[in-house]
Amino acid sequence: MPTLSARTAQPASVRTDALVVGVVRTAKGVAVVDAGADVQKAFGRGFVPMLASLGFEAKPGQVATLPSGHVLKTPVLVVVGMGDAADVDRERLRWAAALGVQTVTNAVSVSVALPLDGPDDVQAAGEGALLGLYSYERYRSGDDSDRPTDVVLIADKARTKDVTRAVEAAETVARAVCLARDWVNTPPNDLTPAVFAEAIASYSGKGKVTVEVLDDKALAKQRCGGILGVGQGSENPPRLVSVTYAPRRPAARIALVGKGITFDSGGLSLKPGKSMMTMKCDMSGAAAVVAATYAIAELGLPVAVTTYASLAENMPSGAATRPGDVLTMRNGRTVEVLNTDAEGRLVLADALDMAVEKEPDLVVDVATLTGAAVVALGTRVAAVLSNDEALLERVPEVADRAGEAMWPLPIPEEMQTKVTSSTVADLRQHNPEPAGGTLFAAAFLREFVRGSRWVHLDIAGPAHNDGEPFGYTPKGGTGSAVRTLVRLAQEIAGERLLDQRRAAR
Ligand code: BES
Ligand code: ZN
Ligand code: ZN
């Protein structure tokens, strides 16, 4: 990851290899943002007509690269369109920073002048720049990337504690998102459940968290019939990894649970080839909860976190679970499996049961759970479902502040009835009618949370970008949900989001 720093300076006189400035539309026409005003001054009256002659109108997302012709101390100037000045918000800062630094090639250092009003803006721009510079190179031979490695944000009061902290927070959060992206992008032959568990346990920030790995024998001892049932068709046995962060005086205790299917072939209910092509991404939930836990620990937030990553490979074989099989889950409930491609809810159920055993104030699970969530909300919005009305409303707001799009969906009574309508077992795992697949899956999961406050994030859409890069989101793994989870912990710590529940204990 590139380095990030903040500096108080006049952009026209900074000496990095390139300079990025934001340009907005105002009532008086196109103008460089205040933070870069001296750049416009240095070029003089010809600057705006010059931009116009390049066809640059400061449309959101528009970029142009100009030689600075000795007018500035940097050889290259990149202008980034930010749209109407009145519409500039934090998300726009994130992607303007990303687009600017992405446009710079063959340069080591780049300065960024955007309208940063305080530490939160600094953090947003910093995250945008670092996330925008991400690329996954592990399997590429050939030249290294020519993207910049040092990003300098031009900001007021750059030496104050608040701004320094904001820069560090941006680095910590971006590092976590990029770690999740790396894990998602890793090919499934090189990220089996055992290898993924090893990677989680080898976290360099040791001392801040403790990690425990349950292998298949330990899972049998724990009666984790769901995880074992999903994993039994594969040569690569399942794992359940727990990561614990226990700060001294926590304001609350939360549990995170992630779906970690390292490859989802569908099992005996085999997927068509096309739907399988990106199914290495089916461990995105596990990647997100673990990476977010690391970040929460690194930030030293006063929230205790216990995280469970349920890792298995869903494969067809003579040993695989069949449609019609009945599994006994960790909580003793029996489940009739009707479609082995609906495996996520089975591995989550056991981990949720383990998580709520410790009576956390809140449990959040994250999963690429249903194709139906993609049908409902598209590929850029995650679904939020919950057994708590207030959280159903709050979590999408928290996500928005973190720069992620999430939207609430209901769990109607009808789905509860369907979950409990198996002809042979306590629960059925699959509803043969495809309508409302996301809601049915959530109703199934709810059976395993024993009345704990619970939020379910279905990230099947946003976890993996099959299309072209946009803003600060690359192709492939996106690190979806990491920023929301970190922000949620921050807001729980700050505003005591969960106070009521704690008082009742
Ligand atoms: N991993 C998939 C869901 C998925 C789909 C994730 C697209 C990312 C992109 C999940 O295990 C699955 O296959 N779900 C089935 C459930 C169905 C059989 C009830 C689905 O959504 O088709
Ligand atoms: Zn599946
Ligand atoms: Zn799956």
Side-chain angles (χ1 to χ4, degrees), residues 259 264 271 279 282 339 341 343 368-371 430 460:
K259 170 179 175 181
D264 183 10
K271 282 182 186 294
M279 276 304 135
D282 215 18
N339 186 321
D341 195 14
E343 81 298 336
T368 46
L369 204 62
T370 61
H430 173 62

Side-chain angles (χ1 to χ4, degrees), residues 187-202:
N189 55 333
D190 281 344
L191 200 84
T192 59
V195 174
F196 193 7
E198 272 295 302
I200 295 170
S202 70

Side-chain angles (χ1 to χ4, degrees), residues 88 126 158 420:
V88 172
T420 50

Side-chain angles (χ1 to χ4, degrees), residues 407-492:
W407 205 254
L409 291 178
I411 311 178
E413 187 61 36
E414 169 208 6
M415 293 301 171
Q416 158 88 17
T417 311
K418 290 194 160 121
V419 164
T420 50
S421 69
S422 166
T423 44
V424 296
D426 298 333
L427 303 171
R428 67 193 298 172
Q429 161 251 19
H430 173 62
N431 177 20
E433 301 156 29
T438 307
L439 322 184
F440 177 90
F444 180 87
L445 294 178
R446 191 175 54 183
E447 294 294 319
F448 296 87
V449 300
R450 302 192 216 173
S452 286
R453 272 183 167 192
W454 157 76
V455 175
H456 162 58
L457 306 179
D458 192 333
I459 58 167
H464 193 269
N465 177 19
D466 304 351
E468 290 307 307
F470 58 92
Y472 49 86
T473 305
K475 274 187 188 226
T478 62
S480 173
V482 171
R483 287 180 293 149
T484 297
L485 293 172
V486 176
R487 178 94 201 189
L488 189 65
Q490 261 159 350
E491 295 196 11
I492 287 171

